[in-house]
Amino acid sequence: MSSLISENDLKHESDLVWLEDISCLDYVRQSLDRLPTRAGKPAYHRDGRMIGYAVLATTAKASRASGTFRRRVFWLLPHDRDTEPNGLYASSAPAEAIDPGTLQPTVKGRKTERSEGGPPSNAMRELGIGLPL
């Protein structure tokens, strides 16, 4: 698993599959995992739950050393803000967290004021969008 994800790591993504409604989540954790397949729901071996995963195009090549594919997996831990709104991440987010609304295939996603637990941005207020989303 790697928290440093480059655009090159994502160039073969064809789709993101969401297992939950991400519109109600301020952030999801993102990691780049070595998986045995390009597509399909990967096995999940962390605490918490898998929120989604990336699907790779057939142009993606397996690693010559391991025979695995590098795919993004999105997940949350039991102490994340969605289940403990007043807990550890009430006004911050873990290092690997990103706003799911900024994610698309081949796009890393980014942290936003919303994902950091802060107030809505000026742009959000101008559009009449409040928190939580």
Side-chain angles (χ1 to χ4, degrees):
M1 168 175 73
S2 171
S3 61
L4 298 176
I5 298 174
S6 74
E7 296 294 333
N8 193 47
D9 292 323
L10 310 179
K11 68 183 178 184
H12 293 288
E13 287 184 346
S14 62
D15 195 15
L16 298 181
V17 175
W18 297 109
L19 305 172
E20 294 186 22
D21 178 6
I22 59 170
S23 68
C24 61
L25 297 173
D26 294 340
Y27 65 82
V28 295
R29 292 172 185 254
Q30 153 179 269
S31 61
L32 192 61
D33 294 358
R34 292 203 171 273
L35 300 170
T37 62
R38 288 183 188 94
K41 182 179 174 183
Y44 184 73
H45 303 291
R46 294 180 180 91
D47 287 342
R49 65 193 196 275
M50 184 187 317
I51 303 298
Y53 56 89
V55 173
L56 303 180
T58 56
T59 55
K61 303 282 188 237
S63 163
R64 288 193 288 179
S66 67
T68 59
F69 298 90
R70 295 182 69 169
R71 290 172 53 195
R72 282 193 293 176
V73 175
F74 307 101
W75 45 285
L76 288 170
L77 290 175
H79 60 273
D80 279 322
R81 191 181 312 144
D82 69 308
T83 53
E84 290 189 19
N86 297 316
L88 177 63
Y89 296 113
S91 61
S92 64
E96 67 273 12
I98 39 99
D99 184 336
T102 66
L103 285 166
Q104 295 178 5
T106 72
V107 176
K108 287 194 301 187
R110 58 187 169 78
K111 288 191 177 198
T112 63
E113 288 181 10
R114 177 174 82 120
S115 68
E116 289 290 336
S121 66
N122 290 336
M124 289 173 67
R125 284 193 292 274
E126 288 172 11
L127 293 170
I129 302 169
L131 295 177
L133 291 182

